[in-house]
Amino acid sequence: MNTSSEIVATRRLGAKKFRVLPGFKLTLGYTLFYLSFIVLIPLAATFWKSSTLSWAQFWQVITSPVALAAYRLSFGASFCAALVNAIFGLIVAWVLVRYNFFGKKIVDSLVDLPFALPTAVAGITLATLYAQNGWIGQLFVPFGIKISYTQLGVFVALTFIGLPFIVRTVQPVLEDFDSEIEEAAASLGANRWQTFWRVILPTLFPALLTGFALAFARALGEYGSVVFISSNIPMKTQIVPLLIMTKLEEFDYAGATALAVVMLVISFALLLLINLLQWWSNRHNATNLA
Amino acid sequence: MSNQTKINAPNRLTEPPFVRGLLIVVALIFIALFLVVPLISVFAQGLNKGFGVYFAAIRDPLALSAIELTLIAAGIAVPLNCLFGVSAAWAIAKFDFRGKNILLTLIDLPFSVSPVISGLIYVLVFGAQGWLGLYENADKPWFPWLQNWLNNHDIKIIFAVPGIVLATIFVTFPFVARELIPLMQAQGRNEEEAARVLGASGWQTFWRVTLPNVKWGLLYGVILCNARAMGEFGAVSVVSGHIRGSAGSLGTNTIPLHVEILYNEYNFTGAFAVASLLTFLALITLILKTWVEYKNRKLSADDADFRR
């Protein structure tokens, strides 16, 4: 880092900056062009299109009872799914880092399956498995619990989708964890549970929270795995992306766009939050493990 | 004596055996329930009427045209995003400029957009009612010459192949860039600067110095990008219009969309047979990913040995 700025400084000819490495204008120019063409301009189109609605119309669309029910289900199911993943994901990460057992390498690779498996495949598979005559669904029939085509089904699909996020954010922090800290706690008389609760968990907490937020953000936007397992009944099992899709199929582009704008604003706020969390998490680990 | 300490000491540094066993069992049940059982069930459902029906579903002309379109879409999206990733990583890792963090956030943006919205944004730009839509239908023509040109040459973007390619590019946009940027930032600029000072041209520096250093990261990004490109469903579903292909003509159905159609027609065996192709793709992706991670770890370990 130092050498390069030194070279830039010493080679500065008048007002013109001389860089040792070539291609700055070309690569940055191409990056900005491609980014604008693929991402920024189309996203701007969404905000532009929503401005064709008056504020009153816009408000009416985004606060209609159907939309409110969809937000409630989207947020509720995503939150529950992320919470379940936080608990089980922590256990999976812990087991993968700390213990040895048969098939550990395979389990470790398999954790990424929800990333790699196309969502449509996950969707039809989960819908079939958790249906009343499915392999898993039939186990719940005697208790009178229906999973596929209910809100519970939406939760199952979102849990599947979010599974890798927690494991993959907690795992590296746990791997880098300095055993000396645990040894210090133990030598000062803490039992294992106290060491975990008071020493290990607080260190893992920022990573856990980041993973939770990532899983939650992913679940909010998820479509493919939910569309098959949800019966898509307005007010009952319709999540926001499904509602947007329904509006598109009715050629209600303005309505779909209004809802899309709400979701985009929420996703961008979450993105900001996640970046802040990651920054906090990195700093937290740097100070704790230094 | 030494035995005594051995038994007592580790007690406080690890969990009692039954807790360890319990945690392993809980983790394995969770993994089995959510990952292994669905994986097995794809193949079980696809093969439940025998191999004949399974292969018939895959060799169906509609399935073959869906496979062709998926390969075309991924074949365009992956190289373009790869080029972008390398270019963005070069600009961000090798130079200092203002607004770098904003650029990094913007590159990650497509990951936080719902797939349905990713498709919708292209409908709003190129659809009949959009910015560049049909001239006579558009509310306000923004670029009349471009609209005229598209209309005169009968080029459709939405509900046609270009829309599918664009949506695929959008959803896989950050994959290569976000693998390469941190890697190239960590490697710094010294080696490239040394190559330049020793007389290498810009291209020689890139091909002989930078690329060999980042090849595993690049491959990793390409593998993930490709998996998502071939498997994307929501975004492609919005822009596709579900036009079925046939032996002679390419429709607008990719493999995931074909799976959806079969499933909705209650042809479950066919749907799972075609879905099993995508599942194979996912398994190959996981195997390659594990292999590249192993290579990468070995490479950085060798590197550490060398530097020591």
Side-chain angles (χ1 to χ4, degrees), chain A residues 8-76:
Chain A
V8 169
T10 50
R11 296 281 185 89
R12 202 172 283 186
L13 306 168
K16 212 178 167 197
K17 226 183 200 177
F18 183 85
R19 289 190 173 89
V20 177
L21 296 177
F24 176 66
K25 278 184 187 156
L26 176 73
T27 52
L28 186 67
Y30 180 68
T31 301
L32 292 176
F33 165 76
Y34 192 73
L35 179 72
S36 312
F37 183 71
I38 298 290
V39 180
L40 300 181
I41 295 173
L43 277 177
T46 318
F47 289 92
W48 166 78
K49 184 80 186 174
S50 72
S51 71
T52 58
L53 287 175
S54 74
W55 178 245
Q57 284 170 315
F58 180 79
W59 189 250
Q60 199 194 352
V61 172
I62 65 167
T63 57
S64 68
V66 177
L68 289 178
Y71 301 139
R72 212 171 298 133
L73 180 60
S74 268
F75 279 91

Side-chain angles (χ1 to χ4, degrees), chain A residues 4 34 38 99 112 192 221, chain B residues 15 81 114 122 193 196 289:
Chain A
S4 78
Y34 192 73
I38 298 290
Y99 305 150
D112 283 325
R192 192 59 191 158
Chain B
E15 296 71 35
N81 283 337
S114 167
Y122 288 105
E193 282 167 357
R196 284 289 283 161
K289 190 169 168 290

Side-chain angles (χ1 to χ4, degrees), chain B residues 259-282:
Chain B
V259 169
E260 184 198 23
I261 289 179
L262 292 175
Y263 188 84
N264 287 342
E265 286 172 346
Y266 301 101
N267 181 359
F268 296 128
T269 307
F272 279 102
V274 179
S276 75
L277 292 179
L278 292 171
T279 312
F280 272 125
L281 172 75

